[in-house]
Every structure is written in C-alpha cells, then in structure tokens.
Amino acid sequence: MTQTMMGWGRLCISPLFVLVVWEIVCRAGFIEPQLLPAPTSIAVRLVEQAASAEFWGNFSITLYRLAIGLSLAVILGVVLGLAAQLSRFSAALLDAVVRLLAPIPKIALYPALILIFGFENASKVALVVADALFPVLMATWSAARAVDRKLIWSARAAGTSSVACLWKVTLPAIVPTVLAGVRVAGVIACVVVFLAEMIASTDGLGHMLTVAARAYRTLDMFVPLVWICIVGLALNWLIGRLQRIVDRSG
C-alpha cells in the first residue's frame, strides 16, 4: 500500500513541478502569452469550452473515430496473430507482410486513404487501424509462439481442433501480453486520429487545433491538445487496470 502511494506521489509531483515552473515563467513575463499561455489560462479556457455544445460535438467525433479504429485494430491484430499459428505457410506469409509494411510511416498513406474512403470518418478510422494494428499483431504473434507446446498437444490429443485450440488454449494464455500491445496501440491511435483530423477534417479535436492555429489563437490551440492528452491517459490507465486484473486472476 505504501509503495503504491509513493508511486502515485512521484507520478503527480513531476507534472505538478513542470506546471508550477511553467506558470511562474509565464506570469513573470519571460514568455509572451501569445506564444505560450500560462497553465491557469489554459485551464480557464478548458472550462469555458466545456460549456460549448460545439466542443462536445468535436470531442465525441474524435472519440468515435478513436474507438472504432482501435477496436478494429485489436480484432484484426489478434485474429491475424493467432492465424499465423495454423501453419508454416501462414506464418511465413504474415512475416513477409509485417517486414514489408511495419516500417512504412502510415501517415504517408493518408492521401491514398482519402482517395479511397473520402474525407469523412472512414479515412480517419482506416489510418488508425493501419497504425495501431502492428503493436497488437506483433504482441499476439510473439506471445502465441511462446505458449507451452505441451498445452496445445494435450488439447489436440483430447480431440480439440487446431482452430479451437487457438481460442481455448492459446488466446487465454497470451491475454496479458496482448493487452501490453493494446496499451501501446492506444497511445498510437490517439496520436494518429489527432493528426488525421489536423490534416484533412472539418470536425474533431485536431480540426479545432488547426482552426485556432490559422487564426493565431494560441490559447485555443492548447485546449484540444490537453483533451487528447486526457483521453490518452484515461485509455492507458483503463488498459493498465485491465492488465492488473488479468494478472491477479491468472
């Protein structure tokens, strides 16, 4: 209990120290507010925008794109990672695809995705899937290969099919590792959906930042940044909490 409290204390002290220094520097006039607003000014603006229906409309559309894209990435990553265990051919094929596509910066594919899916939600979701897929896929694949083969042989000897073994034996054994991959994918998804909305969108948090930047409203630029940071922290905490529950139950 004490160690947990100390851990939370260290986690809170570091950001608090940065915010205090930031506030002092801004209030002392070392930096112009037009270049870097004080944290308290940003907090006030956050509260003001939180009372706006327009803000919540943009916020909800970003959450929608993030949730759909990340969910699809997790499902595809787990399914493909498990499917690679069915045969040597499927493993070799997936290995070739990963080696070819994983190093490509997915944001470079966004213009092509816009041409294919248009400027609406589909292109943003597709970009999130393309970027968030690989951490889940690689975590699933590597964990599945590390599963004790005796467990699989025992299940097969009992008459379980190879596909059923994946869902009944392999998947339960690799859940903690898969969740670690999902945790990484969640952070990537937050970054990617925000970038996609900045590049080509008429709504969402990223669009809010772009509009504020074009009008040189520095204070309003920080509001969507803070909110996407809050979303990322909340998602990271939620998946981490789920990891701890799975570890304890295991």
Side-chain angles (χ1 to χ4, degrees):
M1 185 66 178
T2 305
Q3 290 181 345
T4 302
M5 293 178 64
M6 290 176 62
W8 276 106
R10 287 193 296 267
L11 186 64
C12 294
I13 287 172
S14 297
L16 182 61
F17 176 77
V18 172
L19 290 174
V20 169
V21 173
W22 180 357
E23 182 76 21
I24 292 173
V25 169
C26 291
R27 294 302 176 185
F30 293 111
I31 300 178
E32 289 293 328
Q34 290 80 6
L35 297 177
L36 184 66
T40 50
S41 300
I42 297 172
V44 170
R45 190 62 178 144
L46 281 170
V47 175
E48 291 174 353
Q49 288 207 358
S52 166
E54 181 183 0
F55 164 76
W56 288 110
N58 286 309
F59 184 74
S60 61
I61 196 66
T62 296
L63 281 186
Y64 171 77
R65 291 163 177 163
L66 175 64
I68 297 297
L70 182 58
S71 298
L72 290 174
V74 171
I75 293 171
L76 285 173
V78 171
V79 170
L80 292 175
L82 290 175
Q85 311 306 312
L86 291 174
S87 67
R88 291 183 179 179
F89 174 77
S90 59
L93 180 62
L94 184 62
D95 181 63
V97 171
V98 170
R99 288 177 184 273
L100 177 65
L101 298 181
I104 297 175
K106 309 307 179 297
I107 195 67
L109 302 175
Y110 192 41
L113 294 176
I114 291 175
L115 291 175
I116 296 171
F117 297 107
F119 285 92
E120 299 303 321
N121 292 331
S123 59
K124 280 80 174 171
V125 170
L127 184 62
V128 172
V129 173
D131 236 327
L133 169 66
F134 287 96
V136 182
L137 171 58
M138 297 175 77
T140 303
W141 189 15
S142 61
R145 286 189 295 179
V147 172
D148 189 350
R149 308 306 297 176
K150 293 179 181 178
L151 296 175
I152 299 175
W153 293 336
S154 298
R156 295 286 287 146
T160 307
S161 67
S162 57
V163 175
C165 275
L166 292 178
W167 297 108
K168 295 181 179 180
V169 179
T170 304
L171 183 58
I174 66 174
V175 168
T177 305
V178 171
L179 286 175
V182 174
R183 201 168 183 176
V184 176
V187 175
I188 293 173
C190 288
V191 174
V192 170
V193 74
F194 197 85
L195 286 174
E197 291 175 348
M198 287 180 63
I199 295 171
S201 184
T202 57
D203 48 23
L205 293 177
H207 173 68
M208 286 180 60
L209 186 144
T210 302
V211 170
R214 287 172 180 168
Y216 200 55
R217 300 198 307 267
T218 311
L219 188 59
D220 288 343
M221 288 172 56
F222 278 88
V223 173
L225 284 174
V226 172
W227 277 109
I228 198 66
C229 181
I230 292 172
V231 170
L233 289 173
L235 185 60
N236 186 64
W237 177 85
L238 183 63
I239 299 172
R241 181 68 177 171
L242 186 58
Q243 277 184 291
R244 290 189 289 272
I245 292 173
V246 170
D247 289 339
R248 284 199 296 267
S249 63

